[in-house]
């Protein structure tokens, strides 16, 4: 009878070891000063330059758009929808032109031991203002939004894996969006919250509505992570 | 009653004063150089720091700091990139922050910090009754230590407080450029093809006894006090100290060596002479001229040590050792010349095992003068037991126990050594 108990304990230990040894990533990082999620005096920047479409030929065929136009078409639409969706969630949010960040150097920010996000963030000591002189206290900086099918965010952001070659056979079960963003404290010029979100939606019959809903999920995911990250 | 209340509030006030006077947010123990350069980076000019007085405060509060040179760091105060970072630092230096959150990000700013070369930059800014201080050196693009001290309108008291909070650890001598070059080109000793070896031979005199200091007497009393009757009878025979004297001097010869100045081995030979504890009132010993045992021991131990060079002519090497040993007790007995035939008790006298096996453990220190001539002091505990283990048989209770199966002593010895390095 005791033998059974010991066997059970042994397998529990094995299971714990296996679970513990598996790679576990941390996809968000909060600054200790990030206690209140943004609501007022809030702006978004970078959406129009963030979107990248993976497998464009496949998307062109499925969406009946000429292959030479698909990149421009999809990324432009998605950027527009993302700003609109964010405006639904944050009525006071304002969009700043991405050109404000042109002068800033591209920098890496670490989320986990092997996870880094790369993107332009304002310099220390420099406050972002739009042409009207409006100075938001917090800015949502969208670095990159990758659209594709069946993507994994570790393949893009774990520096040990980014040089791996992609598999020969590409699958298309899910529509995937991977978005990396920073909540920027414009007053004190520091990153309050960094995150890489992955959103998957099953594909049944691909249409532009699916893309629109995917972008809507991006906005919702961003908002829930911004709330979760505060005060951690 | 009133007075005790007053005293209570005074103490409370003092404690509050102490806890608020300074607040070090983080401290990553930077290297403070003797006769170093302290550059005062006063970004927003919210406070005036007199470099001369500040230097005197440093000397007063840290005797090891030597003769530091302090000056206002005009290069950074006039530089727009440094100014931007300095302003940023001002409003990001908050309680509970960590160094990683205060990293300078601009490549030009990082380059400026890296170019400091042993100089220490002290950022100062006065905000709401406190003075924020952060120190930089060339080793990191983050402050090495940061915090606040309470503002004091008496500048000397303020400087003393700053010196005490941020410059309080011992200063090291700065290496010259040549020394630095030599250090940089020196090979790492752990990558040598043949490891550095330090060997020694030595001769020592010591003293051993059964009683281990700081342990109760009654652990040993029965062994130490017992006498041998009629050549073999004692109360208990588990320890050899029931038969022979335990507290005797010994001579030791030893040789050993360590690799990498850390791990090694030592072989030890030890010789001692122990009298058998015969009772003078026992008439059976009337025939006896002398009876004693020579204790010969050969041991091998693992030796772990670390050398601390004290000065040019002396190194101190504390060590610990752990090993095993074989003990042989050789009997020397004789009856008086006029005795023709020894008694029956003499012929049937006690016999010890041929060999005892035991362990030894201890620590000590070698003091090596002029790299070759050493004095070593060591102390430890050694044991002697049965050499072989035999399975207990059903009539084990009837079997005689091994004489001296648990013989323990502690020892202290002083040795003279000759050392060499390969």
């Amino acid at each position: 009878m005791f033998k059974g108990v010991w066997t059970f304990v042994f397998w529990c230990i094995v299971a714990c070891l296996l679970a513990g040894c598996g790679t576990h990533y941390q996809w968000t990082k909060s600054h200790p000063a990030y206690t209140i999620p943004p609501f007022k005096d809030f702006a978004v920047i970078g959406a129009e330059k963030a979107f990248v479409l993976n497998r464009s030929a496949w998307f062109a065929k499925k969406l009946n758009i000429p292959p030479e136009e698909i990149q421009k078409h999809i990324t432009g639409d998605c950027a527009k929808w993302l700003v609109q969706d964010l405006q639904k969630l944050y009525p006071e949010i304002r969009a700043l032109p991405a050109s404000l960040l042109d002068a800033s150097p591209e920098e890496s920010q670490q989320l986990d031991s092997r996870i880094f996000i790369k993107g332009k963030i304002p310099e220390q000591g420099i406050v972002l203002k739009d042409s009207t002189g409006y100075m938001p206290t917090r800015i949502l900086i969208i670095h990159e939004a990758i659209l594709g099918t069946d993507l994994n965010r570790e393949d893009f952001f774990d520096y040990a894996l980014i040089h791996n070659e992609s598999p020969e056979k590409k699958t298309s079960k899910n529509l995937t969006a991977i978005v990396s963003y920073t909540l920027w404290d414009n007053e004190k010029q520091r990153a309050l919250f960094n995150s890489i979100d992955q959103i998957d939606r099953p594909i049944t019959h691909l249409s532009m509505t699916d893309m629109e809903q995917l972008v809507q999920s991006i906005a919702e995911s961003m908002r829930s992570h911004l709330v979760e990250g505060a005060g951690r | 009653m009133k007075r005790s209340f007053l005293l209570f509030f005074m103490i409370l006030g003092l404690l509050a004063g102490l806890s608020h006077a300074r607040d070090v947010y983080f401290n990553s123990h930077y290297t403070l150089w003797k006769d170093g350069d302290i550059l005062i980076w006063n970004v927003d000019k919210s406070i005036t720091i007199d470099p001369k007085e500040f230097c005197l405060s440093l000397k007063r509060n840290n005797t090891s700091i030597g003769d530091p040179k302090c000056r206002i760091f005009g290069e950074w105060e006039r530089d727009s990139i440094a100014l931007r970072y300095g302003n940023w630092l001002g409003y990001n230096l908050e309680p509970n922050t960590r160094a990683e959150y205060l990293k300078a990000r601009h490549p030009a700013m990082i380059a400026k910090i890296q170019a400091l070369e042993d100089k220490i930059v002290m950022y100062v800014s006065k905000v709401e009754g406190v003075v924020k201080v952060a120190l930089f050196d060339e080793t990191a693009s983050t402050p090495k230590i940061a915090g606040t001290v309470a503002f004091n309108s008496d500048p000397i008291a303020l400087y003393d407080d700053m010196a005490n909070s941020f410059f309080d650890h011992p200063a090291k001598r700065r290496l010259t450029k040549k020394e630095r070059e030599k250090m940089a080109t020196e090979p790492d000793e752990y990558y040598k093809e043949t490891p550095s070896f330090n060997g020694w031979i030595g001769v020592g005199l010591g003293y051993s006894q059964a009683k281990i200091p700081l342990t109760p007497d009654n652990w040993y009393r029965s062994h130490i006090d017992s006498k041998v009757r009629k050549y073999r009878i004692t109360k208990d025979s588990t320890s050899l100290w029931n038969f022979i004297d335990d507290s005797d001097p010994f001579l030791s010869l030893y040789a050993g060596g360590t690799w990498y100045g850390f791990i090694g081995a030592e072989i030890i030979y030890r010789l001692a002479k122990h009298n058998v504890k015969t009772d003078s009132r026992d008439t059976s010993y009337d025939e006896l001229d002398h009876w004693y045992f020579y204790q010969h021991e050969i041991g091998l131990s693992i030796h772990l040590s670390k050398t601390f060079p004290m000065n040019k002519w002396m190194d101190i090497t504390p060590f610990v050792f752990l090993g095993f040993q074989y003990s042989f007790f050789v009997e020397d007995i004789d009856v008086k010349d006029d005795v023709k035939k020894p008694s029956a008790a003499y012929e049937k006298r006690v016999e010890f095992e041929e060999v005892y096996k035991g362990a030894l453990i201890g620590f000590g220190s070698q003091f090596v003068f002029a790299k070759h001539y050493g004095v070593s002091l060591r102390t430890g505990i050694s044991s002697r037991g049965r050499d072989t283990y035999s399975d207990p048989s059903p009539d084990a209770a009837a079997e005689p126990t091994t004489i001296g199966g648990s013989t323990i002593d502690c020892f202290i010895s002083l040795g003279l050594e000759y050392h060499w390095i390969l």
Side-chain angles (χ1 to χ4, degrees), chain A residues 152-166:
Chain A
N152 284 315
R153 51 188 163 174
E154 47 267 35
D155 296 336
F156 292 83
F157 290 96
D158 181 340
Y159 73 72
L161 301 179
I162 50 177
H163 297 296
N164 286 1
E165 288 185 24
S166 55

Side-chain angles (χ1 to χ4, degrees), chain A residues 107 122 124 188-190, chain B residues 88 91-92 94 103 105:
Chain A
E107 286 177 53
Q124 287 165 324
K188 295 194 171 182
Q189 299 96 46
R190 57 192 180 187
Chain B
W88 179 87
Y91 45 75
N92 277 283
E94 291 172 336
K103 196 176 177 311
R105 281 170 35 221

Side-chain angles (χ1 to χ4, degrees), chain A residues 42-178:
Chain A
F42 186 36
V44 57
I45 192 168
E48 64 263 45
K49 287 191 178 175
F51 281 90
V52 176
L53 186 66
N54 205 316
R55 290 189 80 186
S56 53
W58 183 87
F59 275 100
K61 204 174 128 202
K62 290 275 173 183
L63 295 170
N64 287 323
I65 298 171
E68 59 274 15
E69 281 175 30
I70 179 85
Q71 228 15 289
K72 200 179 155 194
H73 198 99
I74 291 285
T75 56
D77 280 355
C78 287
K80 194 179 72 198
W81 293 330
L82 183 61
V83 173
Q84 284 170 1
D85 287 328
L86 283 170
Q87 272 164 347
K88 277 180 209 153
L89 298 169
Y90 297 99
E92 296 201 21
I93 200 166
R94 287 170 69 164
L96 299 180
S99 57
L100 279 182
L101 278 177
D102 282 351
S104 309
E106 197 171 53
E107 286 177 53
S108 298
Q109 297 182 82
Q110 190 170 17
L111 300 194
D112 201 357
S113 58
R114 275 163 30 184
I115 304 288
F116 291 85
I117 57 175
K118 232 173 152 188
K120 292 188 168 187
I121 50 176
E123 270 179 52
Q124 287 165 324
I126 290 181
V127 178
L128 289 192
K129 283 179 205 162
D130 71 0
S131 52
T132 62
Y134 168 68
M135 196 198 85
T137 53
R138 310 225 196 149
I139 302 172
L140 181 67
I141 304 171
I142 299 163
H143 302 297
E144 203 173 23
I146 304 160
L147 305 177
T149 57
D150 296 331
L151 303 176
N152 284 315
R153 51 188 163 174
E154 47 267 35
D155 296 336
F156 292 83
F157 290 96
D158 181 340
Y159 73 72
L161 301 179
I162 50 177
H163 297 296
N164 286 1
E165 288 185 24
S166 55
E168 284 283 303
K169 179 92 181 120
K170 285 183 175 153
T171 56
S172 39
K173 284 184 186 136
N174 286 304
L175 203 56
T176 312
I178 299 167

Side-chain angles (χ1 to χ4, degrees), chain A residues 29-33 105 107 121-127 184 187-191, chain B residues 81 84-85 87-88 91-92 94 96-98 100-107 109:
Chain A
K29 191 176 185 189
S30 302
H31 191 283
E107 286 177 53
I121 50 176
E123 270 179 52
Q124 287 165 324
I126 290 181
V127 178
W184 187 253
E187 283 175 323
K188 295 194 171 182
Q189 299 96 46
R190 57 192 180 187
Chain B
I81 288 166
R84 251 186 233 151
Y85 176 60
N87 286 330
W88 179 87
Y91 45 75
N92 277 283
E94 291 172 336
N96 307 323
T97 188
R98 291 202 300 271
E100 58 182 283
Y101 292 115
L102 299 175
K103 196 176 177 311
R105 281 170 35 221
H106 199 290
M109 192 63 219

Side-chain angles (χ1 to χ4, degrees), chain B residues 246-267:
Chain B
D246 64 298
S247 52
D248 280 306
F250 65 83
L251 172 81
S252 66
L253 301 171
Y254 54 93
T258 52
W259 287 272
Y260 298 112
F262 165 61
I263 190 162
E266 194 178 47
I267 187 159

Side-chain angles (χ1 to χ4, degrees), chain B residues 159-265:
Chain B
Y159 301 162
D160 278 350
D161 206 5
M162 283 158 74
N164 221 334
S165 308
F166 302 103
F167 296 88
D168 60 342
H169 56 283
K172 283 191 193 155
R173 187 179 68 83
R174 258 166 88 172
L175 299 177
T176 63
K177 213 163 196 172
K178 286 267 156 62
E179 279 178 317
R180 227 174 258 251
E181 276 169 19
K182 186 169 180 299
M183 286 268 282
T185 55
E186 263 178 11
D188 189 324
E189 97 169 278
Y190 292 98
Y191 287 93
K192 277 187 201 165
E193 280 186 18
T194 49
S196 60
F197 176 77
N198 170 29
W200 63 84
I201 52 168
V203 53
L205 280 176
Y207 182 81
S208 67
Q209 65 175 32
K211 181 176 165 20
I212 298 164
L214 306 174
T215 52
D217 275 342
N218 60 8
W219 289 8
Y220 314 95
R221 197 178 296 131
S222 69
H223 299 309
I224 291 171
D225 291 350
S226 81
K227 299 270 184 190
V228 183
R229 282 191 292 121
K230 294 206 186 291
Y231 290 98
R232 71 170 302 128
I233 303 161
T234 65
K235 277 186 214 154
D236 172 6
S237 63
T238 52
S239 171
L240 289 177
W241 308 135
N242 282 66
F243 299 93
I244 55 180
D245 276 336
D246 64 298
S247 52
D248 280 306
F250 65 83
L251 172 81
S252 66
L253 301 171
Y254 54 93
T258 52
W259 287 272
Y260 298 112
F262 165 61
I263 190 162

